[in-house]
Amino acid sequence: MSNNDTATMTEARDESLPEDDARRPVKVSIRNLYKIFGEDPERALEKVKAGMGKPELLESENHVLGLSDINVDIRDGEITVIMGLSGSGKSTLIRHLNRLIEPTAGEILFKGDDILGWGQGQLRELRRKNMSMVFQKFALLPHRTVTENAAMALATRGISRSEYEDEATKWLDRVGLGGYGDQYPHQLSGGMQQRVGIARALASNSDIMLMDEAFSALDPLIRTDMQDLLLELQGELHKTVVFITHDLDEALKLADHLVILKDGSVVQQGEPQHILLKPNDPYIEDFVADINRARVLRTRSVMDKGVPKGEGSGDYAGDVDQNDNLESVIARAEGAMDKRYRVMKDGKPVGTLKMTEIMKALVPRKVEG
Amino acid sequence: MATYDGLFDALGLRAWCDKGADSGPMSMADLLAKTKGDGAATVSAWDTPFPSLDALHDACMAIPQSRDLTQGLESGFLGIRDALRWVIDPITQPLSWMLEDMLWLMTQSPWWIVMPVLFAITWLVSRSWKIVGFVALMLGLLAFVDHYHEAMQTLAIIFVCAFVCVLLGVPIGIAMSRNDKLQRFVIPILDMLQTLPPFVYLIPLIFLFSVTEPKLYGIAIILYAIVPVVRLTDLGIRLVDKDVIEAADAFGMTNRQKLFGVQIPLALPNIMAGVNQTIMMSLAMVVIASLVSAPGLGVLVLRGIRNLELGVGLVAGFGIVVLAIALDRVTKASLARIDASQASR
Ligand SMILES: Nc1ncnc2c1ncn2[C@@H]1O[C@H](COP(=O)(O)OP(=O)(O)OP(=O)(O)O)[C@@H](O)[C@H]1O
Ligand SMILES: [Mg+2]
């Protein structure tokens, strides 16, 4: 990854990103991607580039603007969450990553190589080895057993049953489905079926997992379970995950990098905490207005950076970790407004947190101007 | 003279009309008109004939009569018959052999071998002793009233024809499901095959093949019965859940893996429903095909009609119903078995 690239990337994003740990290398990079559905997308593309929006394009040209000038970097080992309302183009975007949908214009760079130039064979290799997918409606093969479903990627590569069985069983055990291998999908509940879907993606041993509203069809309790499972697996395996959701709580829980789509364009992307504190669009404000900020915001996003040298640590009411949420700090202070805490990262002080700052952060900010 | 004389005079075509005057023999109607004299020269407006070929011919000899059309078709068909035969004969010859061999096998083997084999097949496809018992009862009944031989002939023909229908129909259906252009082209043909009265197939076939050849009725049955299996294969594959196909693509399956690993297995219930209908339609056609020498129960029905032998016709008709029910039960049972093993919805 060249310096040049990094520069353009940070530019595309917000300048005032909170200081980040040394960021991981970019794995897949989407550049100036456009997708237009209709008879003559090329002609419609001209109009879109000249500034026509989604509603006008539909009205005057009868073409649907699926995606418009998308630039996103997907980093190795991170969970990139794409969020937006229904019809904003999330599914369309994620299907470009493994080219289930052909773009109208743009580039998709996989480790620096544009996959749009790839032939069928190369593409198949990519789908078999590098990218696996989890679907909203599970999309399991109804006529195959759970084990056979979990091993779909392996069987597709031509590996025989005796060889893939152990691998498939291992991943089924890992997602908590040990012993269900000989059942058929319709014999399982929705949550269990989606576990099979996840086991199928994991068993393919791909480094990238694409998840299109993978948990949207599940009830809230199972959904929380699955989110925890995903985070747990992620802590172990460090996959590159692209996760789609229209649920902000889910997005904030999972995301390392959050991309917000509206009508086929990116309205804001960056660290979720940052988007929460500094929404740059009324659309996002509406989105974030209703969430429990105390539970989502972390001390590191609110603190004043740096520890003043001269003052002794006696001044502080105590130490908090940089990843603690505000709720836990408020609970510790028992509501007292005059305290301040030292924020620690890996045992070293990195900042100061005043209770007054916490209170300010709890009120959603309006976009200036 | 004739009603439309004035028309041709007015158009100045009289000379052209009269050039063709003496061509062609007179029709019976002409002769009748001649003998009656020219009394009918003045026709009232009420009786004005439709300007059909025949009416125009009366006024202008150069215009052909309707019978020339039918004759033209016939001579045209006879003209290409030899060429057609030269192509179709060798292709369809295996059908004759299959029919002959199957008929020989099923009628010449002793009943105590054929019937157990049929029961075994029933067990294999339906996995239900109830169905096997039912089939045994039905066949036993037919054999008991001495219709065993004819029933076996009918069954032999149905087995061969349904087998050929599946052999040709499933690949055609698969090809249609993958190619919209082909589908648009084939569907009207299927519609035509399904709406033409079955007797109509027989007409050109009789001219093409001699009545003694089994393939004559074989082809008629196959043309009639192949439609549902083609249609339902096409439909079945098109109806396979789009999400599952997308998953297959997303995991890098080749087209071949997708077809044999996903599409055909998931379309199987529909394909089997098509096979069931194909078998039932073969049975319907095998009766009509006795008009062109297909052996079996149909011959007895025909005898009943021709000789007014009410009892013979009714018993044979009842035999056909019995066969139909047995075949339907067996194929439906196997269909249910497939459905149960992949109850996905
Ligand atoms: N095959 C297609 N033909 C025409 N328009 C399409 C097609 N696929 C998607 N679209 C349009 O593209 C837009 C984005 O659709 P997409 O499915 O990506 O939305 P989404 O964000 O995934 O929504 P949801 O949350 O409902 O899944 C929609 O306006 C949709 O109408
Ligand atoms: Mg979607």
Side-chain angles (χ1 to χ4, degrees):
Chain A
M1 160 105 229
S2 71
N3 277 335
N4 201 358
D5 269 337
T6 329
T8 45
M9 209 217 53
T10 9
E11 236 169 54
R13 232 179 270 166
D14 213 309
E15 292 290 348
S16 54
L17 264 177
E19 155 245 19
D20 236 348
D21 323 339
R23 301 218 54 187
R24 301 203 173 90
V26 173
K27 189 129 201 178
V28 186
S29 168
I30 302 168
R31 293 262 167 271
N32 307 101
L33 190 75
Y34 287 87
K35 174 69 190 179
I36 294 163
F37 296 101
E39 300 275 305
D40 186 4
E42 294 299 327
R43 201 169 53 91
L45 180 64
E46 300 295 312
K47 304 256 161 123
V48 172
K49 283 192 168 161
M52 193 180 263
K54 180 166 175 162
E56 302 100 76
L57 190 75
L58 185 59
E59 181 126 332
S60 67
E61 304 286 316
N62 201 20
H63 279 57
V64 178
L65 180 56
L67 294 173
S68 160
D69 199 15
I70 305 282
N71 286 284
V72 177
D73 285 315
I74 290 152
R75 287 171 184 277
D76 192 19
E78 282 192 353
I79 301 184
T80 302
V81 174
I82 300 171
M83 201 183 73
L85 296 177
S86 195
S88 54
K90 307 180 296 288
S91 300
T92 311
L93 178 56
I94 204 171
R95 278 165 181 68
H96 276 90
L97 293 175
N98 56 2
R99 253 182 88 187
L100 288 177
I101 297 180
E102 295 290 327
T104 309
E107 293 175 356
I108 294 152
L109 306 174
F110 174 72
K111 296 178 180 161
D113 197 5
D114 189 0
I115 66 165
L116 297 179
W118 288 11
Q120 280 302 318
Q122 228 177 340
L123 208 55
R124 228 170 9 240
E125 281 304 295
L126 176 84
R127 291 172 182 172
R128 286 180 182 185
K129 301 224 169 106
N130 301 107
M131 292 188 185
S132 52
M133 208 160 178
V134 183
F135 299 86
Q136 177 173 5
K137 292 182 202 140
F138 320 141
L140 302 173
L141 300 181
H143 60 297
R144 302 267 179 88
T145 62
V146 166
T147 303
E148 286 165 345
N149 265 290
M152 187 169 152
L154 302 174
T156 305
R157 281 180 218 163
I159 297 171
S160 73
R161 183 172 179 121
S162 55
E163 285 167 75
Y164 70 56
E165 199 152 9
D166 286 345
E167 186 74 8
T169 311
K170 177 180 109 191
W171 288 112
L172 285 171
D173 287 346
R174 189 63 197 77
V175 299
L177 283 181
Y180 286 94
D182 292 331
Q183 307 272 65
Y184 284 88
H186 70 269
Q187 296 169 304
L188 306 183
S189 73
M192 289 157 101
Q193 289 189 35
Q194 194 57 301
R195 282 166 199 261
V196 179
I198 292 175
R200 172 169 75 173
L202 291 171
S204 83
N205 202 16
S206 62
D207 35 0
I208 302 176
M209 267 170 79
L210 309 176
M211 307 180 77
D212 185 1
E213 303 209 23
F215 304 152
S216 298
L218 308 175
D219 69 59
L221 281 181
I222 297 178
R223 193 167 172 167
T224 313
D225 271 1
M226 300 293 277
Q227 290 163 356
D228 294 340
L229 176 69
L230 180 65
L231 286 174
E232 189 188 319
L233 288 168
Q234 177 65 4
E236 245 170 72
L237 307 167
H238 309 291
K239 303 255 180 201
T240 305
V241 178
V242 181
F243 192 97
I244 286 187
T245 181
H246 53 237
D247 181 71
L248 184 64
D249 287 318
E250 186 167 74
L252 292 171
K253 180 168 177 184
L254 299 176
D256 294 309
H257 181 70
L258 180 59
V259 180
I260 298 185
L261 278 185
K262 180 193 175 188
D263 284 353
S265 320
V266 176
V267 279
Q268 190 173 11
Q269 60 177 319
E271 224 228 343
Q273 303 270 311
H274 176 69
I275 292 180
L276 209 57
L277 289 169
K278 295 187 179 156
N280 69 1
D281 189 288
Y283 174 74
I284 302 175
E285 263 172 34
D286 287 347
F287 245 127
V288 301
D290 290 334
I291 58 152
N292 181 350
R293 298 166 72 86
R295 188 167 297 165
V296 175
L297 287 173
R298 316 257 159 198
T299 56
R300 71 183 138 94
S301 324
V302 182
M303 68 186 186
D304 297 319
K305 267 169 239 156
V307 196
K309 286 271 158 56
E311 301 166 53
S313 64
D315 235 3
Y316 292 111
D319 290 347
V320 294
D321 189 81
Q322 65 155 2
N323 281 328
D324 286 347
N325 61 17
L326 302 188
E327 200 176 51
S328 69
V329 182
I330 296 171
R332 246 179 97 173
E334 292 172 328
M337 287 294 292
D338 52 352
K339 295 194 175 158
R340 61 179 193 158
Y341 287 89
R342 191 163 60 160
V343 181
M344 311 293 280
K345 178 192 176 193
D346 303 331
K348 285 187 218 112
V350 287
T352 305
L353 181 64
K354 295 200 202 79
M355 287 304 289
T356 45
E357 288 300 319
I358 291 187
M359 287 306 147
K360 273 194 246 166
L362 290 183
V363 182
R365 252 183 36 173
K366 290 274 169 217
V367 174
E368 306 94 26
Chain B
M1 255 173 64
T3 326
Y4 291 100
D5 273 349
L7 178 67
F8 290 97
D9 292 341
L11 288 173
L13 290 173
R14 182 48 53 201
W16 172 72
C17 283
D18 289 341
K19 246 203 304 206
D22 49 13
S23 64
M26 267 186 184
S27 73
M28 202 61 189
D30 290 340
L31 282 174
L32 278 177
K34 267 261 159 60
T35 51
K36 269 206 250 163
D38 282 352
T42 50
V43 183
S44 69
W46 184 262
D47 290 327
T48 310
F50 186 83
S52 65
L53 281 178
D54 281 351
L56 293 176
H57 176 80
D58 281 346
C60 174
M61 292 301 209
I63 291 191
Q65 283 171 286
S66 287
R67 71 163 184 214
D68 295 329
L69 178 74
T70 49
Q71 257 166 11
L73 265 180
E74 189 176 320
S75 61
F77 186 78
L78 290 179
I80 58 165
R81 181 174 75 161
D82 289 336
L84 213 55
R85 231 183 168 150
W86 192 75
V87 179
I88 293 181
D89 224 24
I91 299 178
T92 53
Q93 197 52 46
L95 182 61
S96 274
W97 295 331
M98 279 162 76
L99 283 165
E100 273 160 9
D101 290 351
M102 194 67 178
L103 281 169
W104 179 85
L105 189 70
M106 286 191 62
T107 52
Q108 297 307 305
S109 314
W111 64 269
W112 44 266
I113 292 182
V114 174
M115 284 177 55
V117 168
L118 287 178
F119 300 155
I121 294 173
T122 307
W123 163 247
L124 278 181
V125 299
S126 69
R127 295 293 154 110
S128 148
W129 288 115
K130 232 173 84 190
I131 301 283
V132 175
F134 179 76
V135 169
L137 185 72
M138 291 292 143
L139 281 186
L141 201 65
L142 277 175
F144 188 67
V145 294
D146 283 301
H147 280 60
Y148 171 80
H149 188 75
E150 286 78 9
M152 285 306 125
Q153 287 174 326
T154 300
L155 272 183
I157 296 172
I158 290 173
F159 286 163
V160 170
C161 291
F163 172 73
V164 175
C165 282
V166 172
L167 203 68
L168 299 177
V170 170
I172 295 176
I174 291 172
M176 274 168 74
S177 71
R178 327 188 104 199
N179 186 333
D180 288 340
K181 261 199 205 122
L182 183 68
Q183 193 200 31
R184 272 200 297 279
F185 172 75
V186 174
I187 280 194
I189 299 179
L190 296 182
D191 287 342
M192 191 189 79
L193 287 176
Q194 208 165 29
T195 43
L196 272 184
F199 291 102
V200 179
Y201 304 123
L202 295 177
I203 298 171
L205 289 175
I206 291 169
F207 277 87
L208 270 182
F209 307 110
S210 81
V211 180
T212 52
E213 283 177 296
K215 66 182 166 194
L216 168 57
Y217 60 81
I219 294 172
I221 295 171
I222 289 167
L223 280 180
Y224 185 66
I226 199 172
V227 179
V229 70
V230 175
R231 256 194 225 284
L232 283 162
T233 302
D234 172 43
L235 184 76
I237 291 185
R238 281 174 188 265
L239 282 183
V240 171
D241 192 350
K242 292 279 172 300
D243 294 325
V244 175
I245 297 295
E246 186 173 52
D249 280 330
F251 281 93
M253 283 200 182
T254 60
N255 282 339
R256 217 186 143 74
Q257 287 174 324
K258 235 169 29 185
L259 182 67
F260 291 105
V262 181
Q263 290 172 310
I264 291 185
L266 292 185
L268 208 54
N270 272 315
I271 297 177
M272 282 306 294
V275 172
N276 168 275
Q277 286 190 30
T278 286
I279 289 176
M280 300 321 284
M281 287 175 73
S282 313
L283 183 62
M285 191 64 185
V286 88
V287 177
I288 293 168
S290 359
L291 285 172
V292 284
S293 81
L297 292 168
V299 175
L300 294 181
V301 176
L302 221 57
R303 199 174 101 199
I305 297 173
R306 273 205 203 111
N307 307 353
L308 294 180
E309 294 180 50
L310 180 66
V312 174
L314 281 184
V315 172
F318 175 73
I320 289 168
V321 173
V322 166
L323 274 191
I325 296 175
L327 285 170
D328 189 52
R329 284 290 158 81
V330 174
T331 45
K332 285 255 173 69
S334 71
L335 180 64
R337 197 162 64 89
I338 291 168
D339 261 343
S341 73
Q342 50 166 269
S344 55
R345 349 297 68 179

